[in-house]
């Protein structure tokens, strides 16, 4: 599991402070959503909490219930607003080293808008 302390200068923290531009999708009291700069599907939205959490485990174990509910309700709102509900979509959250997590501010990728293919390539032996 990720043991890194939260870095307040990570790219998503800087987006939240308005120091780096991002294409806003929508936001709520405790959460913010914007388009991924390098989209991997026709719709590729990143949803982040405003609070300082490095990953899913950090968020789920330390955030308040209000923050957690706010976050997942925003994901669901975006799914509806981006017209992802009829055709389906995928949620991904990379957590720690083995996942290849690059930005250590908890985030969920929302991917959709076209068939996405298998979730993973077959594991190498
Ligand atoms: P991770 O690998 O940590 O799950 O995903 C990080 C994501 O952040 C990547 O998909 C990457 O394209 C996206 N990203 C990195 N820097 C920026 C940025 O400055 N702006 C936006 N909108 N997305 C970014």
């Amino acid at each position: 599991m990720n043991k890194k302390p939260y870095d307040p200068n990570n790219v998503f923290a800087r987006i939240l402070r308005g120091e780096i531009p991002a294409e806003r999708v929508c936001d709520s009291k405790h959460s913010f959503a914007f388009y991924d700069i390098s989209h991997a599907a026709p719709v590729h939205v990143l949803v982040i909490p405003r609070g300082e959490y490095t990953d899913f485990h950090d968020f789920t174990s330390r955030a308040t219930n209000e923050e957690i509910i706010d976050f997942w309700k925003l994901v669901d709102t975006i799914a509806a607003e981006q017209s992802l509900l009829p055709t389906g979509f995928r949620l991904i959250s990379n957590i720690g080293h083995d996942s290849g997590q690059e930005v250590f501010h908890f985030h969920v990728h929302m991917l959709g808008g076209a068939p996405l293919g298998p979730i993973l390539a077959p594991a190498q032996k």
Side-chain angles (χ1 to χ4, degrees):
M1 195 46 60
N2 170 50
K3 295 282 192 277
K4 285 187 188 182
Y6 183 84
D7 172 7
N9 286 317
N10 76 73
V11 66
F12 294 171
R14 298 187 66 200
I15 285 172
L16 280 170
R17 292 197 295 268
E19 295 168 6
I20 295 176
E23 197 178 345
R24 177 189 167 280
V25 172
C26 65
D27 65 326
S28 58
K29 183 176 176 189
H30 296 294
S31 314
F32 183 71
F34 53 101
Y35 290 106
D36 195 296
I37 202 167
S38 174
H39 60 91
V43 176
H44 188 168
V45 175
L46 297 170
V47 189
I48 65 175
R50 296 186 190 277
E52 298 186 345
Y53 305 103
T54 56
D55 62 18
F56 171 78
H57 174 65
D58 191 30
F59 179 66
T60 306
S61 57
R62 290 199 306 111
T64 64
N65 287 351
E66 183 181 327
E67 289 176 292
I68 292 169
I69 291 167
D70 177 282
F71 181 88
W72 292 110
K73 287 286 188 185
L74 189 66
V75 170
D76 193 50
T77 298
I78 294 164
E81 289 183 358
Q82 297 280 324
S83 305
L84 296 175
L85 294 176
T87 47
F89 62 105
R90 182 174 290 159
L91 301 179
I92 293 177
S93 189
N94 290 317
I95 301 148
H97 176 269
D98 282 1
S99 73
Q101 183 178 2
E102 291 176 358
V103 180
F104 286 83
H105 181 116
F106 170 53
H107 54 282
V108 165
H109 297 253
M110 298 184 68
L111 298 155
L116 298 170
I119 190 163
L120 289 174
Q124 300 296 313
K125 292 197 174 161

